[in-house]
Amino acid sequence: MTESGTGGLDLAPNDRVSEEDLGFLERAVELGRRGWGRVSPNPMVGCVVVQRGEVVGEGWHRELGGPHAEVHALAGAGGRSRGATAYTSLEPCAHMGRTPPCTGALLDAGIARVVFGAADPGAGAGGGAVLRAAGMRVDGPAFSSARAALHNPAFFHVARNASPYVALKLALSLDGRISRAGEQTGLTGPPAREHVHYLRAGFDAIMVGANTMKIDDPRLTARGRPEPRRAPDRIVLDSGARMAPEARLLRDDGGGRVRIFTGADAPADRVRALQQGGATVHAVPRSASSLDLGAVLDTCFRAGLTSILCEGGGVLASSLLRERRAQRLYLFFAPLTLGPGSVPAFPGLDEAAWEGWRPAGPPAAFGRDLVWVLDRGG
């Protein structure tokens, strides 16, 4: 999503895009990040309007269904848009969706040139061709395919794969452990925990396994800034429907819908108790070890959940990595150790599961803790 840096990823070869152009594109990307948690399933997009080297208008996509970044930037520029260059982090859209196409707004404003970073892989694709056909100079895409997907990974993943984008978040000790055996263990400090709530706001759902649910009894809500446009659904993978009906997330009305995935053979009385507590129960096939993760994700996608943040525990994390169903890792490292008797972050995971992972940017410090973001290529 948007909280990692560029990571030094390469640019698409384009000799018509200068270093100055790239600087304005970076500003457009920075502006687009302000839409985190407010525009999904749309992408986060920023726009900068420049007249003779001076920024005369800026904007970003602020709210799903509201004006796009280009419209906000052009409104700020006013009459100074005529003859100016518009820099957009994503190719201007060319279709009538919740709002009119941005290509029309750019043409009506008299923009002379458009430079865009990423080509649109979705329904809005083709805006660059529309503008060129109208006689406007258009330069882009300026970003490589990897760089293009870096700040809107869920949007690009869904467009290309028609399946949920899955990110895995874990807090780890320096010796690769996530908790003391059988007890809730707080590893990270307040700044890192605040960042987790920021991350949650940008996902359609938050997911945990049954053991994490039993030990931590989490609420799985996004509390803080930004306030999400829609509270994330809360997902528990509980093959035997053993979750306590008095669990906090069933009593907390501050979150989204509670979805519990069970095996088809889960005891009917336990399923009924969870349903009476307000949960939506989905029965899916079992795998060799627990639940069929493919069936879980397919069910989520059909329910309109396009991005899922998994917060553990270790067995579920290892399964997601082993089956190559996670696309991003948020690893929060705390400066302490838990020792050999504690719970490992990735039990039973072999080296093959780590092939293709690369840093999405440099590590970031949140108080005493360090966060490393990794993306899976291929």
Side-chain angles (χ1 to χ4, degrees), residues 115-128:
V115 183
F116 67 89
D120 192 331

Side-chain angles (χ1 to χ4, degrees), residues 162-243:
S163 64
Y165 174 81
V166 178
L168 172 63
K169 169 261 165 185
L170 286 180
L172 298 84
S173 63
L174 294 178
D175 52 351
R177 307 284 167 156
I178 58 175
S179 69
R180 295 182 179 89
E183 64 180 81
Q184 185 176 7
T185 308
L187 296 181
T188 55
R193 291 196 295 270
E194 181 179 336
H195 189 60
V196 170
H197 285 286
Y198 168 84
L199 291 178
R200 288 178 175 181
F203 285 82
D204 292 340
I206 306 162
M207 181 168 69
V208 297
N211 287 338
T212 297
M213 191 69 231
K214 178 182 178 180
I215 295 170
D216 293 351
D217 192 20
R219 295 165 61 189
L220 302 182
T221 54
R223 306 183 295 278
R225 296 293 179 184
E227 181 181 350
R229 179 185 62 83
R230 173 186 173 275
D233 281 11
R234 295 169 289 176
I235 299 172
V236 181
L237 303 193
D238 183 7
S239 59
R242 293 184 174 88
M243 193 179 94

Side-chain angles (χ1 to χ4, degrees), residues 70-71 74-75 78-84 86 96 100-112 114 130-131 134 136:
E70 295 91 331
V71 174
L74 293 171
R80 292 178 293 179
S81 297
R82 189 157 298 279
M96 175 65 75
C102 292
T103 49
L106 292 164
L107 290 168
D108 291 344
I111 290 291
V114 165
V130 170
L131 294 174
M136 185 182 295

Side-chain angles (χ1 to χ4, degrees), residues 272-294:
R272 281 195 301 271
L274 294 173
Q275 291 172 328
Q276 289 169 358
T280 299
V281 179
H282 302 277
V284 296
R286 288 181 177 269
S287 66
S289 57
S290 182
L291 296 178
D292 183 329
L293 292 177

Side-chain angles (χ1 to χ4, degrees), residues 5 18 75 87 117 134 140 174 179 191 224 268 283 290 302 342 354:
S18 68
Y87 296 88
L174 294 178
S179 69
S290 182
R302 289 195 299 271
S342 52
W354 295 106

Side-chain angles (χ1 to χ4, degrees), residues 341-375:
S342 52
V343 179
F346 305 107
L349 203 60
D350 59 23
E351 292 183 4
W354 295 106
E355 293 178 358
W357 288 94
R358 62 174 185 269
F366 289 89
R368 62 170 194 171
D369 305 308
L370 196 67
V371 181
W372 198 20
V373 183
L374 303 172
D375 283 335

